[in-house]
Amino acid sequence: MRPAHTLHAAQSHAGWDRDLAPELEVAPGTTIALETHDASGGQLAPGNDAEALTTLDFGRVNPTTGPVRIDGAQPGDALAVRIEALEPTGWGWTANIPGFGLLADDFPEPALRHWDLTGGSSAAFGDAARVPLRPFPGTLGVAPAEPGPHSVIPPRRVGGNMDTRDLVAGTTVWLPVEVEGALFSLGDTHAAQGDGEVCGTAIESPMTVTVTLDVVRGDAPHAPVFETTRSQRDGEDRDGVLATTGVGPDLFEGAKEAVRAMIELLGRRHGLEPVDAYLLCSVVADLRISEIVDQPNYVVTCAFPRAVLT
């Protein structure tokens, strides 16, 4: 789908703030392209070694392109973000950054791996492995209602740094609008990532992401909801998934929140009684830890395979 507008990587910001001036204003239903920096904000380059990680300015990491104001979007609405396409560049990196990641105490020394992404559908990890490339934006969201600025690192109920690898081309994400115009931004683009992003980085790569932005009146979810149209995994989700999220500092409570949201969604969309939806979730839905490294909040996803719905 041809975008009506393009925002460039220089039109980016380093945190969430409801008072940021929009870089672009569009009508609902508009398709736009957003060029992004890599997660380092351009501080890393193909020639760098691990020493470069020790001098990173963390105030510049995870920049997001935007914000984009969507005309007529109001608190209580949902912003529907359909991811149309992602165009990676030919380079990416993965790093162990001291003090960051699930096993930060186990791996205190910096490590940096560069990736050649010009090989099509996969990239080599030395001679040991080939990794399928499934590009997606690690961060997409709208401005929170609370006065800012707010760090872009932890995910939020309005989206943000969700690092959820199912948000590939063809996926639609619904975000709760909390400020007039929504103020949508996107960045932290990944060429591939495992659930959890356990070392704290994926294959970080600058990209161009094309999205269509629309408004659903009065239908704000409690936390991000998304629907995929094709499987990104092996298993029953060959036709994609309907997914809800739990975002917060406690994984157990996040799991409860994600399942409760799925029960409500199945009731609203498919007429299931709550207890029946609960039983069905136990039989076919998958709880996934989508992100576990961006303290103080983590993301649990409840993924329900679309193929079983009649």
Side-chain angles (χ1 to χ4, degrees), residues 226-239:
F226 65 88
E227 186 169 16
T228 70
T229 56
R230 59 188 176 88
S231 176
Q232 291 298 310
R233 307 162 190 261
D234 296 327
E236 295 176 328
D237 60 352
R238 62 185 181 277
D239 295 328

Side-chain angles (χ1 to χ4, degrees), residues 14-290:
W16 302 107
D17 194 329
R18 70 182 191 182
D19 295 321
L20 284 173
E23 295 286 344
L24 178 67
E25 300 187 22
V26 299
T30 302
T31 300
I32 64 172
L34 301 101
E35 297 177 353
T36 69
H37 287 294
D38 70 288
S40 77
Q43 297 180 79
L44 296 178
N48 290 142
D49 60 20
E51 183 66 22
L53 299 170
T54 66
T55 60
L56 284 178
D57 177 356
F58 284 90
R60 295 171 55 189
V61 303
N62 273 23
T64 54
T65 304
V68 179
R69 185 185 188 279
I70 298 87
D71 294 338
Q74 297 291 334
D77 294 339
L79 181 69
V81 183
R82 178 173 170 80
I83 302 170
E84 305 287 358
L86 299 100
E87 301 173 38
T89 58
W91 164 77
W93 59 269
T94 303
N96 180 62
I97 300 172
F100 188 52
L102 183 63
L103 301 180
D105 293 340
D106 295 11
F107 297 95
E109 299 300 321
L112 179 63
R113 169 80 65 161
H114 295 280
W115 297 83
D116 179 357
L117 306 179
T118 61
S121 61
S122 65
F125 189 81
D127 296 328
R130 289 201 68 86
V131 175
L133 300 181
R134 298 188 177 106
F136 71 96
T139 299
L140 78 169
V142 295
E146 297 81 10
H150 302 277
S151 170
V152 76
I153 297 301
R156 305 174 183 279
R157 68 176 297 269
V158 289
N161 191 24
M162 297 189 293
D163 290 326
T164 300
R165 73 182 183 112
D166 295 287
L167 305 186
V168 295
T171 297
T172 299
V173 188
W174 291 270
L175 303 169
V177 175
E178 291 193 349
V179 301
E180 184 178 356
L183 298 181
F184 172 79
S185 301
L186 177 149
D188 183 32
T189 39
H190 298 165
Q193 183 204 291
D195 284 327
E197 196 188 25
V198 293
C199 86
T201 59
I203 300 182
E204 311 289 343
S205 177
M207 296 185 192
T208 298
V209 184
T210 301
V211 299
T212 299
L213 304 174
D214 213 341
V215 176
V216 183
R217 303 295 178 192
D219 197 32
H222 176 71
V225 171
F226 65 88
E227 186 169 16
T228 70
T229 56
R230 59 188 176 88
S231 176
Q232 291 298 310
R233 307 162 190 261
D234 296 327
E236 295 176 328
D237 60 352
R238 62 185 181 277
D239 295 328
V241 299
L242 181 65
T244 50
T245 59
V247 182
D250 185 305
L251 284 174
F252 189 64
E253 291 301 319
K256 288 183 178 180
E257 184 178 303
V259 174
R260 286 172 179 145
M262 180 57 69
I263 290 169
E264 187 277 333
L265 191 60
L266 290 172
R268 180 157 49 86
R269 285 199 181 185
H270 299 281
L272 287 172
E273 292 297 322
V275 69
D276 290 332
Y278 186 35
L279 298 180
L280 191 55
C281 283
S282 193
V283 172
V284 298
D286 291 326
L287 281 179
R288 301 168 180 166
I289 299 175
S290 294

